[in-house]
Amino acid sequence: MFEMDVVSDPIGNISVDGWVSNDKYKAITEFDESLIKPALLLADCATLYTMRVDFSRSTDAEAFANSNMPMRFLHSFAAVCEADEPTLQLLGLNRSTLPSRSELALFGRDKELDEEWWEAVSNFEKKYKEQILDYRSGFHKILRARHFDLESEGLSLAESKGVLKVLPWNANEVSPFHLSWDTVKRDYFESAVSQMADRLVVGTSPISIEPAARASITPSPPTSNLGSETTMQVSTVLANQVPGLALMTVSEILDLRSDNQAYLAPFRSAIFDVAQGVAGAEGASLQEVEKLAKIAWEREVAPALRELEFQLERAGFGKKLLSTVLEDKGAAVAATASLALGFGTVVAGLAALVPAAMAATYPVAKALAETGNERRLSKQNRMYFLYQASKAAKKRQWSPA
């Protein structure tokens, strides 16, 4: 079984400072889905290490604090009271009913937490009870939306079929309670980067690291299989060139794999042969390697695909039957009736070619035999899986939304 690892930092691709607006959470998940598609074409089984899972844990920790930790959501409420109008509207808050700045000063960092302070906080909570409840309810809805935006039905399906594992960068088990504290959260994400860097050194599976993930981990020790990483990076770029692949869902790719399992390994071998030639480009940067990969696709892979498509089109029964009859002039007159009947039944399917007298007619029998032989030879072509992938992708591309 051929396995590969894919390393993803979708947050790094969506945000430059780690802050992500609510409307971008779904894009984080879509990035991972897009990233894993080539791997599902190239490998029997893939492991996706993604910061999305770590980010989701952090989001769930915020939800825990909002539901179970009064002092945390009181401080959070005090902070949001000075937010801009769009944020207040999103949370269902009206600035005219919120505490004044002098009242909010109660939650300043330099305040001494004595009995007087606790009494003042108690009075504050009673006075703004309704606003605090509105805030918690609004924030809960936002966090719930974020949680589900970070979930992927397609990736979960791939996991259930045993062809994908989705793991966080940080393998430690941290409870939502602990992760809700800023110091613990900071240490958690620092450890996540450190653990991912260590995993690159000791890992044995071929690996593909997208650029933002590589930048997040740098500086780090070099991977033990750097050549393999470059090869997989190039292979991923090559697989991404499948026409219409971006429009296919993960579920559709899983169906494609299942329907064409026998042709997956030869296709992978062909792609890796091309990738190894590109990966060996001396002194080339990652960006240059990716450009070379796209050139290699147009020079080596695309022509092979077009040739195979032509071969299979030429192997079509109707065209083959016409060609056979025209080539065999002696049988042309005798076969006129069967030829007409043959073309009429092609539309209905080959099952309609029975009765036996029709099937035994020389031009039909010869055309069927040659068509079968050509299709068998086509399926031995290492690009046959790519042909099927391209056909499925194009079908998806022109299907109504």
Side-chain angles (χ1 to χ4, degrees):
M1 175 181 288
F2 179 75
E3 300 181 11
M4 67 177 287
D5 294 342
V6 179
V7 183
S8 171
D9 180 14
I11 293 84
N13 283 272
I14 302 299
S15 169
V16 295
D17 57 4
W19 184 85
V20 180
S21 58
N22 292 306
D23 61 330
K24 297 294 186 182
Y25 275 71
K26 190 64 178 176
I28 293 173
T29 303
E30 291 170 348
F31 179 86
D32 271 355
E33 290 172 340
S34 176
L35 191 67
I36 205 63
K37 288 177 184 179
L40 292 175
L41 293 183
L42 292 170
D44 295 308
C45 182
T47 299
L48 172 64
Y49 293 99
T50 172
M51 189 65 83
R52 174 176 57 89
V53 178
D54 302 277
F55 201 59
S56 181
R57 287 179 174 181
S58 177
T59 299
D60 292 346
E62 288 188 71
F64 177 88
N66 186 55
S67 299
N68 301 284
M69 303 172 70
M71 288 309 300
R72 295 298 306 279
F73 63 67
L74 268 179
H75 279 79
S76 181
F77 168 74
V80 85
C81 283
E82 298 191 273
D84 56 24
E85 286 299 330
T87 300
L88 294 179
Q89 291 177 11
L90 187 64
L91 291 165
L93 299 176
N94 187 328
R95 189 177 297 280
S96 64
T97 65
L98 296 179
S100 65
R101 286 194 173 184
S102 59
E103 290 176 301
L104 295 174
L106 178 65
F107 296 94
R109 293 179 179 272
D110 57 345
K111 290 294 181 181
E112 184 180 354
L113 307 186
D114 53 17
E115 290 185 12
E116 182 180 350
W117 184 86
W118 284 105
E119 183 179 354
V121 168
S122 178
N123 292 334
F124 177 93
E125 187 175 10
K126 291 175 183 177
K127 181 177 179 180
Y128 293 104
K129 180 179 180 180
E130 289 187 11
Q131 290 87 339
I132 293 169
L133 288 175
D134 288 343
Y135 160 72
R136 291 179 62 192
S137 177
F139 194 31
H140 174 79
K141 291 178 182 178
I142 291 173
L143 292 170
R144 179 178 172 83
R146 290 177 182 177
H147 171 86
F148 286 109
D149 281 347
L150 293 172
E151 295 290 314
S152 170
E153 184 177 338
L155 297 184
S156 295
L157 178 62
E159 286 189 281
S160 71
K161 291 181 177 293
V163 299
L164 178 68
K165 297 177 184 176
V166 180
L167 301 174
W169 284 23
N170 191 323
N172 298 334
E173 290 293 333
V174 182
S175 69
F177 168 76
H178 287 97
L179 198 55
S180 68
W181 298 96
D182 291 342
T183 53
V184 176
K185 185 182 297 185
R186 184 187 65 246
D187 292 343
Y188 174 89
F189 281 100
E190 288 179 357
S191 178
V193 174
S194 175
Q195 287 186 41
M196 197 67 245
D198 292 342
R199 200 175 287 119
L200 296 182
V201 176
V202 301
T204 56
S205 296
I207 191 164
S208 175
I209 309 176
E210 54 89 10
R214 166 57 70 189
S216 297
I217 298 169
T218 305
S220 66
T223 59
S224 58
N225 52 353
L226 186 57
S228 169
E229 178 190 337
T230 306
T231 299
M232 294 311 302
Q233 196 79 23
V234 174
S235 301
T236 298
V237 173
L238 291 172
N240 255 327
Q241 306 308 305
V242 173
L245 180 67
L247 295 177
M248 293 182 71
T249 65
V250 173
S251 176
E252 288 169 335
I253 292 175
L254 294 175
D255 289 341
L256 177 69
R257 282 173 52 116
S258 177
D259 294 342
N260 299 276
Q261 191 64 40
Y263 314 117
L264 184 59
F267 162 73
R268 179 190 306 139
S269 173
I271 291 296
F272 287 169
D273 282 350
V274 176
Q276 286 175 349
V278 176
E282 187 175 351
S285 66
L286 181 59
Q287 291 76 12
E288 291 169 333
V289 167
E290 290 184 359
K291 289 180 181 179
L292 290 172
K294 293 177 181 178
I295 293 172
W297 172 277
E298 293 299 330
R299 185 183 65 238
E300 301 180 45
V301 183
L305 175 60
R306 286 192 289 270
E307 182 180 350
L308 183 56
E309 288 174 337
F310 175 75
Q311 180 181 356
L312 286 165
E313 181 183 354
R314 186 180 59 194
F317 174 73
K319 292 182 179 180
K320 183 59 65 178
L321 179 57
L322 178 60
S323 174
T324 301
V325 171
L326 293 177
E327 288 173 5
D328 193 339
K329 295 181 176 61
V333 175
T336 300
S338 67
L339 176 62
L341 180 59
F343 279 127
T345 53
V346 165
V347 179
L350 292 181
L353 292 178
V354 180
M358 171 63 196
T361 303
Y362 172 73
V364 175
K366 183 179 180 183
L368 279 171
E370 291 185 2
T371 297
N373 287 336
E374 288 197 15
R375 288 195 174 276
R376 277 191 292 274
L377 289 173
S378 297
K379 290 182 179 181
Q380 294 173 13
N381 190 308
R382 291 199 299 176
M383 288 298 170
Y384 187 76
F385 179 84
L386 178 59
Y387 164 76
Q388 292 292 83
S390 176
K391 187 169 70 171
K394 288 178 180 177
K395 181 179 179 181
R396 173 67 174 83
Q397 184 175 9
W398 294 110
S399 296

